[in-house]
Amino acid sequence: MKPAPFRYHRARDVHGTTRLLAELGEDAKVLAGGQSLVAMMNFRLARPDHLVDIGGLRELDHLTAGPEGALHIGALTTHHTVQTAPDALLGPGFAVLRRAMGWIGHLPIRTRGTVGGSLAHADATAEWCLLAVTLGAEIVVSGPDGQRRVPAGEFFLGPYTSALQPDELLTEVVFPRPAPHAALTEFAPRKGDFALVSAVVDLDVEGARVRGGRVGLGGVAPVPVRVPEAEAVLADGGSFADCAAAAAAAADPPDDTGGSAAYRRQLVRALVERACAQASGATEPKGAGTR
């Protein structure tokens, strides 16, 4: 397959890009790593009249520590860059991000695909989207009138739909605090496929005791979601098994060709309990699959 005809634009700086996007309107698409957009264009699921290539904006390729333990990741930072980042930068506080990258596609995809592209694509099964929502990240976007920050929980609006406006460019994601007791688990029919269900658990640990935490799910709703029912179990001192059962009971996944709603609830239960165990340090991270 070949894409429909389009006009190609090479971006030179962030401000110029947002002005160009404002001029072109909804007929334009931004090209970062291209791992999702190019495939959609080849199948003509996307037919932009204009393609704005931001691959040359090196200021958006960064992975830096900020004040008070925050982590700043530029939109053009690749998954592979995060996966291979030195311990001195990520450390135990953000090791969950490094480990999560192993779930994304295969090595060629990770070396080309970008963090910002994944977030802007807004796929409810994408690892970065779920991590951002569960860990309380902020999405930084720039437009003709300046910059704004959007909490990740408010950024994803529906399937492949975000709060990003046609004249705005996603420039950075900020994880505001370390998450040393966090883990991501997921299940896909084949290694490298998009997950049917994914789970992120971020535990609050004091000494040897779990005092609470955050639980997020992907693949069970049009957007990545937090599960307050499961989080309440953790806050009340419940077991990991009870937390997982609460997450499964609260989930309302779809029936589709990937699996029934009942099957996805079983996955939720298995994956949340596994993520709890890994986040607490009770087990080592495992590969794809269910128990």
Side-chain angles (χ1 to χ4, degrees):
M1 296 292 290
K2 295 182 179 180
F6 61 89
R7 185 172 181 182
Y8 176 85
H9 305 263
R10 182 74 170 176
R12 302 196 180 278
D13 57 61
V14 170
H15 182 62
T17 301
T18 58
R19 287 195 305 169
L20 177 62
L21 291 173
E23 176 186 332
L24 299 177
E26 296 184 359
D27 293 330
K29 287 288 186 182
V30 173
L31 176 69
Q35 297 305 289
S36 297
L37 178 59
V38 170
M40 294 178 69
M41 290 174 62
N42 285 342
F43 283 103
R44 303 206 175 192
L45 298 174
R47 298 188 180 200
D49 292 332
H50 300 270
L51 197 63
V52 181
D53 185 352
I54 64 170
L57 304 185
R58 303 328 301 168
E59 66 267 35
L60 301 185
D61 183 3
H62 62 264
L63 182 61
T64 57
E68 299 182 359
L71 183 69
H72 296 250
I73 305 178
L76 289 182
T77 305
T78 66
H79 314 309
H80 184 65
T81 296
V82 177
Q83 188 175 18
T84 57
D87 289 340
L89 181 56
L90 291 187
F94 293 103
V96 62
L97 302 182
R98 180 190 292 111
R99 292 194 297 265
M101 296 303 94
W103 294 100
I104 298 178
H106 301 282
L107 181 59
I109 291 174
R110 294 194 291 273
T111 58
R112 288 291 302 168
T114 62
V115 176
S118 179
L119 291 167
H121 190 52
D123 188 327
T125 66
E127 290 80 4
W128 278 113
C129 299
L130 179 57
L131 287 163
V133 168
T134 309
L135 301 182
E138 288 188 319
I139 312 297
V140 182
V141 300
S142 295
D145 298 325
Q147 193 177 87
R148 66 188 180 105
R149 291 188 173 216
V150 184
E154 301 173 11
F155 184 75
F156 305 105
L157 305 180
Y160 306 105
T161 306
S162 73
L164 198 63
Q165 298 300 310
D167 60 354
E168 289 182 323
L169 180 67
L170 193 158
T171 57
E172 186 179 65
V173 57
V174 180
F175 289 87
R177 56 170 181 80
H181 302 286
L184 179 146
T185 60
E186 64 180 54
F187 174 81
R190 298 176 301 176
K191 182 174 176 56
D193 283 358
F194 285 103
L196 285 181
V197 174
S198 53
V200 170
V201 171
D202 176 24
L203 299 178
D204 295 328
V205 178
E206 184 178 323
R209 300 192 61 183
V210 175
R211 298 293 188 180
R214 286 146 292 283
V215 179
L217 295 175
V220 300
V223 298
V225 293
R226 292 268 298 272
V227 192
E229 295 86 350
E231 296 174 352
V233 172
L234 292 175
D236 291 340
S239 69
F240 293 160
D242 289 340
C243 171
D252 185 21
D255 276 302
D256 60 27
T257 56
S260 67
Y263 177 55
R264 279 191 164 89
R265 289 191 190 95
Q266 291 178 359
L267 289 175
V268 167
R269 186 166 187 160
L271 293 172
V272 169
E273 187 172 357
R274 181 185 298 171
C276 285
Q278 291 181 11
S280 70
T283 65
E284 291 297 319
K286 300 179 181 179
T290 56
R291 286 179 294 180

